[in-house]
Amino acid sequence: MVPLTDTPLTRDGKILILAYDHGLEHGPSDFEAVPETMDPETVWDIATHDAVTSFAVQKGIAETYYPSYRDDVNLLGKVNGTSNLWMGEYDSAVNWTVESAADLGADAIGFTLYGGSNNEVEMAEEFRDVQEAARDHDLPVVMWSYPRGQGVKNDTKDEVIAYGSRLALELGADVAKIKYPGSQEGMEWAVDAAGPVKVVMSGGSKTDDRSFLESVNAVLDAGGSGLAVGRNVWQRENAMEMLDALEALIFEEASVDDALAHLG
Amino acid sequence: MVPLTDTPLTRDGKILILAYDHGLEHGPSDFEAVPETMDPETVWDIATHDAVTSFAVQKGIAETYYPSYRDDVNLLGKVNGTSNLWMGEYDSAVNWTVESAADLGADAIGFTLYGGSNNEVEMAEEFRDVQEAARDHDLPVVMWSYPRGQGVKNDTKDEVIAYGSRLALELGADVAKIKYPGSQEGMEWAVDAAGPVKVVMSGGSKTDDRSFLESVNAVLDAGGSGLAVGRNVWQRENAMEMLDALEALIFEEASVDDALAHLG
Amino acid sequence: MVPLTDTPLTRDGKILILAYDHGLEHGPSDFEAVPETMDPETVWDIATHDAVTSFAVQKGIAETYYPSYRDDVNLLGKVNGTSNLWMGEYDSAVNWTVESAADLGADAIGFTLYGGSNNEVEMAEEFRDVQEAARDHDLPVVMWSYPRGQGVKNDTKDEVIAYGSRLALELGADVAKIKYPGSQEGMEWAVDAAGPVKVVMSGGSKTDDRSFLESVNAVLDAGGSGLAVGRNVWQRENAMEMLDALEALIFEEASVDDALAHLG
Amino acid sequence: MVPLTDTPLTRDGKILILAYDHGLEHGPSDFEAVPETMDPETVWDIATHDAVTSFAVQKGIAETYYPSYRDDVNLLGKVNGTSNLWMGEYDSAVNWTVESAADLGADAIGFTLYGGSNNEVEMAEEFRDVQEAARDHDLPVVMWSYPRGQGVKNDTKDEVIAYGSRLALELGADVAKIKYPGSQEGMEWAVDAAGPVKVVMSGGSKTDDRSFLESVNAVLDAGGSGLAVGRNVWQRENAMEMLDALEALIFEEASVDDALAHLG
Amino acid sequence: MVPLTDTPLTRDGKILILAYDHGLEHGPSDFEAVPETMDPETVWDIATHDAVTSFAVQKGIAETYYPSYRDDVNLLGKVNGTSNLWMGEYDSAVNWTVESAADLGADAIGFTLYGGSNNEVEMAEEFRDVQEAARDHDLPVVMWSYPRGQGVKNDTKDEVIAYGSRLALELGADVAKIKYPGSQEGMEWAVDAAGPVKVVMSGGSKTDDRSFLESVNAVLDAGGSGLAVGRNVWQRENAMEMLDALEALIFEEASVDDALAHLG
């Protein structure tokens, strides 16, 4: 097992994952705000920014474009995911084998676990296979750890979110991607619960610049290792400037005000 | 991965798939209009037309006839499918392994995904295995991407159809076969959503000559790569002339009027 | 793939399968009419008649007796089947692997598909594995194609029966065993729907001599390739004479009256 | 396939299986009558009696004690079984692979099939794998064939019991272990239905000496090959004497009265 | 099969398992009483105490820390487990393959079986695979044998608990970890039911020092082999002293009073 900090997934121990699996998870309507983002090339270009430690996409987006971006982008193969066309208890199809992702040259593997779903047992067993295959290929594993489902009354409670980050530690992930709980205190709990597993905040829907950067800062203050972000970057006209700001904030220890200065 | 345009599935980047899996999907009543089409040989002969870039059939139809048509027809092995005898949430049996199709000499693989079905997760995982096996054999993959099922209130909405073509891109297909949405605008969205994945319109029930060719033309105008057609060709007495017309329209950039001239 | 007519399953292109899986499908009460038929040896002896192109039995009956009849009987390994002790949607357990049947020396493989059952998808996928394994061993495959189940309102309709024989063609069987529809016309449709797949009538319950032979004759007149018969042979005291009659009718093109002359 | 009579499972063609899987199937309360039988060693010692052709136990009981009894006991590895703690349609977990049983030195394999259960199809497919693996290791197979479950209104009817013994023949077992039907006539039917498969009566709850030996005698008179017995031996203080009696009855053709003389 | 007493799991035939899978089974709220125990290192340090014969953790906790504690801690890889976020019939995901645990250097394997759950059959079959893989790696197996679920009205009844320890014997475990029944008599029954399988009491929620040590003493008096303990050790400020006390009690045959003297 290669130490995580020796892999492309981190930079000085910090992490900025750019995520672009929205076409699968939400469908093309997620691209309506900035139509050119429906074209994966637009977002691959954004992913070449030095601030991005890895780019999380599904198999098809990876196979089609990664060969052209191999030198400039670290690939995080998101191996499960599902559309929001169907209804029913939370679940996620395993769309990509680790073997295939490794053959393509992926630098890390991503997997969603819905703890608390009636499908938790099956998903945890799928995670086992993915995690062990990733170990065989020396690939770090990021768990999108989102407790939700019939058994989870309130998925924004501090305790539930901290349980999610703990699951990442217990089950063998290297990084936990979690929702931001309501408070700094909640985030600290979640970071502590994960032990040495690095915790990154899931970016969520687009908000205004300052709010967004302040939430990232709060995550860092709480001991978090960074951010996994999608729409809050590529739904902005000034995506590259936002990445400049995030780079300052996350990797260069700038203040929120200094980071904001990167935005026009 | 061989570029799609270097495979028999395309001709100058355009596609005309002739489909003949109706005996499985709809049963023999589909052949009543033109009884001789119940005999596969009749339709294999039609498939030898130069306009047809590939012929989509199930395993049994392929095993029995392809050896005699190997030199004249490109085989698209449709590996899943099911009868309409049963009722229940949309699903499709995997009737043919990619290994067996490749052994027979298939030039491409076809797979139906019902996004939005309660069986979406299982079907997506079956697609994963089919797609990765196809990659191992350097075979392009066509996804019949038809969102439908309990979760899909309206499967003709532009957004739903565009979601379907996006699924083909995200999950790793090379071509998306989709239903024609109500409008050119809808088709454009679907084509855009698929990125570099080629989009072909599914022919549907038989209509009159001009309407049919106009809808094909609209697909091409919207950026689509062509057509997958069954009954609109082989349920016509003049199937070969219709293929002449489609060849003119799709591969030779003829107008609808010029194309219509091929029909008696 | 060896041409079917080069295999022991056919004789001059015609087929007479003797079936004896009733102990599994119906239980020992099927043997009450002629008690000695409960002893498999009685029926194996009948199966040595030259008219019988193959003898269809389950694994246990084959393993126990086939070694003694190897020179005189062609073995059709019926690899799935189930008791009628349970209730529930139509299904059939796969009781025998093709590998094991081939090791024993089986000459052909038999498989029941209940198209229209809620288990159709699963059964079709089991058929895929059986059919492809049979191909690997150069064994022809007979599909007992009986549409029935929750989705099938009327399993004696011509269209439903023709759909059944078409499924045999589409999914890759070499022979379709179907129920006799109400009429010659229905049988012709079913034969046509199967294309080059040979169609045999399933014998059903015991009837009187003339009615039985006339129905066989009707099948032949409709283009059918013969018969799969169980109780109509071995529930008769004069089973061997009935096989003489069937031999005349099926392989020697005798009239029903001439065939009847073989019966005392 | 080694002839059954050349294996340790039979002695002069007759069978006496001592069964001791009650700890799994019924729990420790089965041992309350004779507390020392909770200790497996007590029953292994009983199993060394020459009358016992094989001793049926689950994996754990076999792994722990068989190495010490290898020279004196023939091991019948009972590979499925389940507790009675749960409720629900009849089913049985496969707790032991044939490979592992064979590695330990098992002389035969035992498997329960609940024909008529909603789980019959799945159980029959598990039996297929067990039976074929046993064939690969030249191990005879005993089927505990007990029709029961939602579809079986009356599991003591002659016809149902005979169906059970027929299932053992059809599916490829070497010995059928069945419940004693109400009458000698019923037993004869069950023995006939099994053809060359040997039929043994399942011992059931403890009864008085004479009744028990008379029922065994009736089984032999009906053509049965012997007995599988548990509580009727090891719940007696004089277990070894009862085995003397059974030895006389089963292997030495003694009368019931003569057999009874072995009991103090 | 290596005798259990030759493995690190026992010391003079006695066992003290320290368990720390609460982050998975109960979530981070279990660590609130003693916040530093959320950090696995705190508990790994406790596990270095000589009294601890093995330390039971999930895969992630093992992979991350075991390499640093290899010389001082015997690793018991707990290979299944699940969160309490979801509701539904008792079940447990297999989160870790035996192969992976063995590669890491695990000294023993732990597995939870919920006898009486509607998932018992599936869990027993998972146990089969785990147990047989463990045998292949010469690793002893500890079964957390907790009857519960829809079929189990009262999981604290002596008979139910004894059934649980018997399941460990029947299915092939080396050690049974059970809940303490209400009485010494109940514990004796459970120990007897397990035969040569060693029985350890599951520690349960934290209680006061004397009560806790007295319950351990009762287990030893009843013939039990020791204890599996979590919160009753690491939720104490004086965890190491408590281990001194347990060491005296379990391995040095001290009285409860003498053992209590180790506590400040």
mmCIF file of all heavy atoms in Angstrom, chain D residues 146-183:
data_model
loop_
_atom_site.group_PDB
_atom_site.id
_atom_site.type_symbol
_atom_site.label_atom_id
_atom_site.label_comp_id
_atom_site.label_asym_id
_atom_site.label_seq_id
_atom_site.Cartn_x
_atom_site.Cartn_y
_atom_site.Cartn_z
ATOM 1 N N TYR D 146 -37.508 -34.662 1.374
ATOM 2 C CA TYR D 146 -38.688 -34.397 2.199
ATOM 3 C C TYR D 146 -39.565 -33.346 1.552
ATOM 4 O O TYR D 146 -39.384 -32.155 1.779
ATOM 5 C CB TYR D 146 -38.251 -33.858 3.570
ATOM 6 C CG TYR D 146 -37.375 -34.752 4.396
ATOM 7 C CD1 TYR D 146 -36.625 -34.228 5.442
ATOM 8 C CD2 TYR D 146 -37.292 -36.124 4.174
ATOM 9 C CE1 TYR D 146 -35.816 -35.030 6.235
ATOM 10 C CE2 TYR D 146 -36.481 -36.934 4.958
ATOM 11 C CZ TYR D 146 -35.748 -36.387 5.983
ATOM 12 O OH TYR D 146 -34.944 -37.176 6.759
ATOM 13 N N PRO D 147 -40.557 -33.756 0.766
ATOM 14 C CA PRO D 147 -41.447 -32.729 0.204
ATOM 15 C C PRO D 147 -42.190 -32.004 1.319
ATOM 16 O O PRO D 147 -42.821 -32.645 2.163
ATOM 17 C CB PRO D 147 -42.411 -33.530 -0.680
ATOM 18 C CG PRO D 147 -41.674 -34.797 -0.996
ATOM 19 C CD PRO D 147 -40.879 -35.087 0.246
ATOM 20 N N ARG D 148 -42.089 -30.726 1.326
ATOM 21 C CA ARG D 148 -42.836 -29.901 2.272
ATOM 22 C C ARG D 148 -42.717 -28.446 1.824
ATOM 23 O O ARG D 148 -41.867 -28.103 1.023
ATOM 24 C CB ARG D 148 -42.328 -30.077 3.693
ATOM 25 C CG ARG D 148 -40.886 -29.781 3.934
ATOM 26 C CD ARG D 148 -40.480 -29.976 5.386
ATOM 27 N NE ARG D 148 -40.437 -31.380 5.747
ATOM 28 C CZ ARG D 148 -39.715 -31.872 6.786
ATOM 29 N NH1 ARG D 148 -39.016 -31.057 7.541
ATOM 30 N NH2 ARG D 148 -39.710 -33.149 7.067
ATOM 31 N N GLY D 149 -43.584 -27.652 2.388
ATOM 32 C CA GLY D 149 -43.567 -26.234 2.032
ATOM 33 C C GLY D 149 -44.949 -25.781 1.607
ATOM 34 O O GLY D 149 -45.917 -26.554 1.661
ATOM 35 N N GLN D 150 -45.000 -24.548 1.147
ATOM 36 C CA GLN D 150 -46.298 -23.916 0.879
ATOM 37 C C GLN D 150 -47.157 -24.731 -0.091
ATOM 38 O O GLN D 150 -48.367 -24.788 0.037
ATOM 39 C CB GLN D 150 -46.045 -22.521 0.297
ATOM 40 C CG GLN D 150 -47.190 -21.562 0.533
ATOM 41 C CD GLN D 150 -46.952 -20.231 -0.168
ATOM 42 O OE1 GLN D 150 -45.823 -19.841 -0.419
ATOM 43 N NE2 GLN D 150 -48.035 -19.536 -0.487
ATOM 44 N N GLY D 151 -46.478 -25.389 -1.057
ATOM 45 C CA GLY D 151 -47.239 -26.105 -2.075
ATOM 46 C C GLY D 151 -47.672 -27.501 -1.664
ATOM 47 O O GLY D 151 -48.412 -28.171 -2.391
ATOM 48 N N VAL D 152 -47.217 -27.948 -0.515
ATOM 49 C CA VAL D 152 -47.482 -29.340 -0.135
ATOM 50 C C VAL D 152 -48.492 -29.381 0.998
ATOM 51 O O VAL D 152 -48.173 -29.141 2.157
ATOM 52 C CB VAL D 152 -46.167 -30.041 0.297
ATOM 53 C CG1 VAL D 152 -46.443 -31.499 0.634
ATOM 54 C CG2 VAL D 152 -45.120 -29.934 -0.801
ATOM 55 N N LYS D 153 -49.712 -29.650 0.620
ATOM 56 C CA LYS D 153 -50.791 -29.662 1.612
ATOM 57 C C LYS D 153 -50.570 -30.758 2.649
ATOM 58 O O LYS D 153 -50.743 -30.566 3.832
ATOM 59 C CB LYS D 153 -52.143 -29.874 0.916
ATOM 60 C CG LYS D 153 -52.543 -28.742 -0.021
ATOM 61 C CD LYS D 153 -53.283 -27.624 0.715
ATOM 62 C CE LYS D 153 -53.616 -26.463 -0.235
ATOM 63 N NZ LYS D 153 -52.418 -25.635 -0.538
ATOM 64 N N ASN D 154 -50.198 -31.947 2.171
ATOM 65 C CA ASN D 154 -50.137 -33.089 3.069
ATOM 66 C C ASN D 154 -48.857 -33.870 2.780
ATOM 67 O O ASN D 154 -48.788 -34.631 1.811
ATOM 68 C CB ASN D 154 -51.375 -33.973 2.840
ATOM 69 C CG ASN D 154 -51.400 -35.131 3.796
ATOM 70 O OD1 ASN D 154 -50.400 -35.427 4.464
ATOM 71 N ND2 ASN D 154 -52.523 -35.808 3.854
ATOM 72 N N ASP D 155 -47.869 -33.700 3.645
ATOM 73 C CA ASP D 155 -46.574 -34.306 3.324
ATOM 74 C C ASP D 155 -46.476 -35.759 3.802
ATOM 75 O O ASP D 155 -45.407 -36.351 3.722
ATOM 76 C CB ASP D 155 -45.409 -33.461 3.861
ATOM 77 C CG ASP D 155 -45.454 -33.287 5.367
ATOM 78 O OD1 ASP D 155 -46.209 -34.012 6.033
ATOM 79 O OD2 ASP D 155 -44.725 -32.417 5.870
ATOM 80 N N THR D 156 -47.559 -36.320 4.273
ATOM 81 C CA THR D 156 -47.520 -37.737 4.658
ATOM 82 C C THR D 156 -48.311 -38.616 3.686
ATOM 83 O O THR D 156 -48.416 -39.819 3.886
ATOM 84 C CB THR D 156 -48.093 -37.940 6.080
ATOM 85 O OG1 THR D 156 -49.470 -37.528 6.073
ATOM 86 C CG2 THR D 156 -47.330 -37.094 7.099
ATOM 87 N N LYS D 157 -48.872 -38.012 2.657
ATOM 88 C CA LYS D 157 -49.596 -38.800 1.652
ATOM 89 C C LYS D 157 -48.627 -39.721 0.907
ATOM 90 O O LYS D 157 -47.504 -39.323 0.567
ATOM 91 C CB LYS D 157 -50.228 -37.857 0.611
ATOM 92 C CG LYS D 157 -51.645 -37.430 0.929
ATOM 93 C CD LYS D 157 -52.148 -36.410 -0.054
ATOM 94 C CE LYS D 157 -52.199 -36.924 -1.510
ATOM 95 N NZ LYS D 157 -52.702 -35.824 -2.407
ATOM 96 N N ASP D 158 -49.087 -40.918 0.616
ATOM 97 C CA ASP D 158 -48.243 -41.865 -0.115
ATOM 98 C C ASP D 158 -47.657 -41.238 -1.375
ATOM 99 O O ASP D 158 -46.478 -41.400 -1.683
ATOM 100 C CB ASP D 158 -49.076 -43.086 -0.545
ATOM 101 C CG ASP D 158 -49.392 -43.988 0.635
ATOM 102 O OD1 ASP D 158 -48.966 -43.675 1.769
ATOM 103 O OD2 ASP D 158 -50.086 -45.002 0.424
ATOM 104 N N GLU D 159 -48.516 -40.560 -2.091
ATOM 105 C CA GLU D 159 -48.081 -40.038 -3.381
ATOM 106 C C GLU D 159 -46.969 -38.995 -3.225
ATOM 107 O O GLU D 159 -46.028 -38.946 -4.021
ATOM 108 C CB GLU D 159 -49.287 -39.410 -4.084
ATOM 109 C CG GLU D 159 -48.949 -38.941 -5.471
ATOM 110 C CD GLU D 159 -50.158 -38.320 -6.145
ATOM 111 O OE1 GLU D 159 -51.316 -38.609 -5.738
ATOM 112 O OE2 GLU D 159 -49.938 -37.518 -7.073
ATOM 113 N N VAL D 160 -47.097 -38.187 -2.195
ATOM 114 C CA VAL D 160 -46.085 -37.160 -1.963
ATOM 115 C C VAL D 160 -44.746 -37.794 -1.567
ATOM 116 O O VAL D 160 -43.679 -37.393 -2.045
ATOM 117 C CB VAL D 160 -46.574 -36.173 -0.879
ATOM 118 C CG1 VAL D 160 -45.434 -35.261 -0.417
ATOM 119 C CG2 VAL D 160 -47.750 -35.345 -1.412
ATOM 120 N N ILE D 161 -44.831 -38.809 -0.740
ATOM 121 C CA ILE D 161 -43.598 -39.477 -0.305
ATOM 122 C C ILE D 161 -42.939 -40.224 -1.461
ATOM 123 O O ILE D 161 -41.714 -40.183 -1.626
ATOM 124 C CB ILE D 161 -43.902 -40.397 0.896
ATOM 125 C CG1 ILE D 161 -44.148 -39.497 2.129
ATOM 126 C CG2 ILE D 161 -42.754 -41.373 1.149
ATOM 127 C CD1 ILE D 161 -44.625 -40.234 3.354
ATOM 128 N N ALA D 162 -43.758 -40.863 -2.282
ATOM 129 C CA ALA D 162 -43.208 -41.550 -3.457
ATOM 130 C C ALA D 162 -42.615 -40.534 -4.448
ATOM 131 O O ALA D 162 -41.609 -40.820 -5.111
ATOM 132 C CB ALA D 162 -44.296 -42.383 -4.141
ATOM 133 N N TYR D 163 -43.232 -39.385 -4.525
ATOM 134 C CA TYR D 163 -42.679 -38.320 -5.383
ATOM 135 C C TYR D 163 -41.288 -37.949 -4.867
ATOM 136 O O TYR D 163 -40.328 -37.774 -5.632
ATOM 137 C CB TYR D 163 -43.601 -37.099 -5.347
ATOM 138 C CG TYR D 163 -43.559 -36.208 -6.573
ATOM 139 C CD1 TYR D 163 -44.710 -35.518 -6.991
ATOM 140 C CD2 TYR D 163 -42.395 -36.004 -7.314
ATOM 141 C CE1 TYR D 163 -44.702 -34.689 -8.101
ATOM 142 C CE2 TYR D 163 -42.379 -35.173 -8.431
ATOM 143 C CZ TYR D 163 -43.531 -34.513 -8.816
ATOM 144 O OH TYR D 163 -43.522 -33.687 -9.928
ATOM 145 N N GLY D 164 -41.178 -37.860 -3.560
ATOM 146 C CA GLY D 164 -39.875 -37.546 -2.961
ATOM 147 C C GLY D 164 -38.813 -38.560 -3.325
ATOM 148 O O GLY D 164 -37.679 -38.203 -3.685
ATOM 149 N N SER D 165 -39.143 -39.844 -3.264
ATOM 150 C CA SER D 165 -38.101 -40.833 -3.576
ATOM 151 C C SER D 165 -37.796 -40.825 -5.079
ATOM 152 O O SER D 165 -36.656 -41.037 -5.492
ATOM 153 C CB SER D 165 -38.472 -42.232 -3.063
ATOM 154 O OG SER D 165 -39.563 -42.750 -3.750
ATOM 155 N N ARG D 166 -38.819 -40.523 -5.880
ATOM 156 C CA ARG D 166 -38.572 -40.396 -7.321
ATOM 157 C C ARG D 166 -37.633 -39.220 -7.632
ATOM 158 O O ARG D 166 -36.801 -39.309 -8.542
ATOM 159 C CB ARG D 166 -39.905 -40.193 -8.053
ATOM 160 C CG ARG D 166 -39.770 -40.152 -9.575
ATOM 161 C CD ARG D 166 -39.470 -41.522 -10.149
ATOM 162 N NE ARG D 166 -39.292 -41.571 -11.581
ATOM 163 C CZ ARG D 166 -39.280 -42.699 -12.299
ATOM 164 N NH1 ARG D 166 -39.433 -43.875 -11.716
ATOM 165 N NH2 ARG D 166 -39.096 -42.669 -13.594
ATOM 166 N N LEU D 167 -37.802 -38.134 -6.907
ATOM 167 C CA LEU D 167 -36.918 -36.982 -7.136
ATOM 168 C C LEU D 167 -35.447 -37.383 -6.951
ATOM 169 O O LEU D 167 -34.565 -36.932 -7.686
ATOM 170 C CB LEU D 167 -37.257 -35.832 -6.177
ATOM 171 C CG LEU D 167 -38.571 -35.115 -6.449
ATOM 172 C CD1 LEU D 167 -38.799 -34.022 -5.394
ATOM 173 C CD2 LEU D 167 -38.588 -34.493 -7.850
ATOM 174 N N ALA D 168 -35.206 -38.241 -5.960
ATOM 175 C CA ALA D 168 -33.824 -38.693 -5.741
ATOM 176 C C ALA D 168 -33.286 -39.414 -6.978
ATOM 177 O O ALA D 168 -32.137 -39.202 -7.385
ATOM 178 C CB ALA D 168 -33.768 -39.606 -4.516
ATOM 179 N N LEU D 169 -34.129 -40.227 -7.588
ATOM 180 C CA LEU D 169 -33.714 -40.933 -8.807
ATOM 181 C C LEU D 169 -33.514 -39.963 -9.969
ATOM 182 O O LEU D 169 -32.488 -39.973 -10.660
ATOM 183 C CB LEU D 169 -34.777 -41.983 -9.191
ATOM 184 C CG LEU D 169 -34.652 -42.608 -10.593
ATOM 185 C CD1 LEU D 169 -33.333 -43.359 -10.741
ATOM 186 C CD2 LEU D 169 -35.826 -43.531 -10.882
ATOM 187 N N GLU D 170 -34.500 -39.121 -10.189
ATOM 188 C CA GLU D 170 -34.455 -38.227 -11.365
ATOM 189 C C GLU D 170 -33.275 -37.261 -11.299
ATOM 190 O O GLU D 170 -32.659 -36.938 -12.307
ATOM 191 C CB GLU D 170 -35.765 -37.423 -11.455
ATOM 192 C CG GLU D 170 -37.021 -38.278 -11.676
ATOM 193 C CD GLU D 170 -37.290 -38.580 -13.143
ATOM 194 O OE1 GLU D 170 -36.732 -37.890 -14.023
ATOM 195 O OE2 GLU D 170 -38.065 -39.528 -13.422
ATOM 196 N N LEU D 171 -32.967 -36.807 -10.095
ATOM 197 C CA LEU D 171 -31.942 -35.765 -9.966
ATOM 198 C C LEU D 171 -30.538 -36.316 -9.748
ATOM 199 O O LEU D 171 -29.573 -35.557 -9.748
ATOM 200 C CB LEU D 171 -32.319 -34.797 -8.845
ATOM 201 C CG LEU D 171 -33.660 -34.080 -9.052
ATOM 202 C CD1 LEU D 171 -33.964 -33.173 -7.865
ATOM 203 C CD2 LEU D 171 -33.657 -33.265 -10.345
ATOM 204 N N GLY D 172 -30.436 -37.630 -9.558
ATOM 205 C CA GLY D 172 -29.091 -38.200 -9.555
ATOM 206 C C GLY D 172 -28.521 -38.583 -8.202
ATOM 207 O O GLY D 172 -27.297 -38.679 -8.059
ATOM 208 N N ALA D 173 -29.373 -38.820 -7.199
ATOM 209 C CA ALA D 173 -28.866 -39.326 -5.924
ATOM 210 C C ALA D 173 -28.650 -40.836 -6.015
ATOM 211 O O ALA D 173 -29.170 -41.500 -6.923
ATOM 212 C CB ALA D 173 -29.846 -38.992 -4.809
ATOM 213 N N ASP D 174 -27.923 -41.374 -5.046
ATOM 214 C CA ASP D 174 -27.699 -42.820 -4.977
ATOM 215 C C ASP D 174 -28.582 -43.465 -3.924
ATOM 216 O O ASP D 174 -28.875 -44.648 -3.999
ATOM 217 C CB ASP D 174 -26.229 -43.099 -4.656
ATOM 218 C CG ASP D 174 -25.314 -42.510 -5.703
ATOM 219 O OD1 ASP D 174 -25.290 -43.057 -6.816
ATOM 220 O OD2 ASP D 174 -24.674 -41.483 -5.437
ATOM 221 N N VAL D 175 -28.950 -42.675 -2.945
ATOM 222 C CA VAL D 175 -29.797 -43.166 -1.862
ATOM 223 C C VAL D 175 -30.830 -42.088 -1.544
ATOM 224 O O VAL D 175 -30.503 -40.897 -1.557
ATOM 225 C CB VAL D 175 -28.956 -43.450 -0.587
ATOM 226 C CG1 VAL D 175 -29.852 -43.917 0.562
ATOM 227 C CG2 VAL D 175 -27.868 -44.475 -0.867
ATOM 228 N N ALA D 176 -32.071 -42.517 -1.310
ATOM 229 C CA ALA D 176 -33.114 -41.581 -0.888
ATOM 230 C C ALA D 176 -33.467 -41.861 0.562
ATOM 231 O O ALA D 176 -33.749 -43.007 0.929
ATOM 232 C CB ALA D 176 -34.370 -41.747 -1.752
ATOM 233 N N LYS D 177 -33.446 -40.819 1.370
ATOM 234 C CA LYS D 177 -33.854 -40.929 2.761
ATOM 235 C C LYS D 177 -35.220 -40.272 2.842
ATOM 236 O O LYS D 177 -35.366 -39.083 2.566
ATOM 237 C CB LYS D 177 -32.828 -40.203 3.634
ATOM 238 C CG LYS D 177 -33.106 -40.146 5.126
ATOM 239 C CD LYS D 177 -31.874 -39.559 5.844
ATOM 240 C CE LYS D 177 -32.041 -39.428 7.339
ATOM 241 N NZ LYS D 177 -32.841 -38.263 7.767
ATOM 242 N N ILE D 178 -36.237 -41.074 3.185
ATOM 243 C CA ILE D 178 -37.608 -40.546 3.172
ATOM 244 C C ILE D 178 -38.305 -40.843 4.500
ATOM 245 O O ILE D 178 -37.886 -41.697 5.271
ATOM 246 C CB ILE D 178 -38.434 -41.169 2.015
ATOM 247 C CG1 ILE D 178 -38.588 -42.679 2.225
ATOM 248 C CG2 ILE D 178 -37.787 -40.875 0.667
ATOM 249 C CD1 ILE D 178 -39.577 -43.334 1.287
ATOM 250 N N LYS D 179 -39.379 -40.102 4.736
ATOM 251 C CA LYS D 179 -40.225 -40.374 5.889
ATOM 252 C C LYS D 179 -41.014 -41.658 5.615
ATOM 253 O O LYS D 179 -41.393 -41.926 4.474
ATOM 254 C CB LYS D 179 -41.204 -39.214 6.112
ATOM 255 C CG LYS D 179 -40.533 -37.880 6.387
ATOM 256 C CD LYS D 179 -39.906 -37.864 7.766
ATOM 257 C CE LYS D 179 -39.200 -36.533 8.032
ATOM 258 N NZ LYS D 179 -38.299 -36.603 9.177
ATOM 259 N N TYR D 180 -41.298 -42.397 6.660
ATOM 260 C CA TYR D 180 -42.120 -43.597 6.474
ATOM 261 C C TYR D 180 -43.564 -43.165 6.227
ATOM 262 O O TYR D 180 -44.136 -42.423 7.010
ATOM 263 C CB TYR D 180 -42.051 -44.464 7.720
ATOM 264 C CG TYR D 180 -42.722 -45.805 7.537
ATOM 265 C CD1 TYR D 180 -42.179 -46.746 6.674
ATOM 266 C CD2 TYR D 180 -43.901 -46.112 8.216
ATOM 267 C CE1 TYR D 180 -42.792 -47.978 6.488
ATOM 268 C CE2 TYR D 180 -44.518 -47.338 8.028
ATOM 269 C CZ TYR D 180 -43.965 -48.277 7.163
ATOM 270 O OH TYR D 180 -44.580 -49.476 6.977
ATOM 271 N N PRO D 181 -44.162 -43.627 5.124
ATOM 272 C CA PRO D 181 -45.572 -43.297 4.891
ATOM 273 C C PRO D 181 -46.424 -44.118 5.863
ATOM 274 O O PRO D 181 -45.902 -44.958 6.588
ATOM 275 C CB PRO D 181 -45.806 -43.712 3.441
ATOM 276 C CG PRO D 181 -44.635 -44.525 3.020
ATOM 277 C CD PRO D 181 -43.608 -44.535 4.092
ATOM 278 N N GLY D 182 -47.693 -43.919 5.870
ATOM 279 C CA GLY D 182 -48.541 -44.591 6.863
ATOM 280 C C GLY D 182 -48.585 -46.110 6.756
ATOM 281 O O GLY D 182 -48.909 -46.802 7.722
ATOM 282 N N SER D 183 -48.201 -46.648 5.595
ATOM 283 C CA SER D 183 -48.449 -48.082 5.373
ATOM 284 C C SER D 183 -47.330 -48.738 4.594
ATOM 285 O O SER D 183 -46.534 -48.075 3.919
ATOM 286 C CB SER D 183 -49.730 -48.223 4.548
ATOM 287 O OG SER D 183 -49.490 -47.691 3.256
#
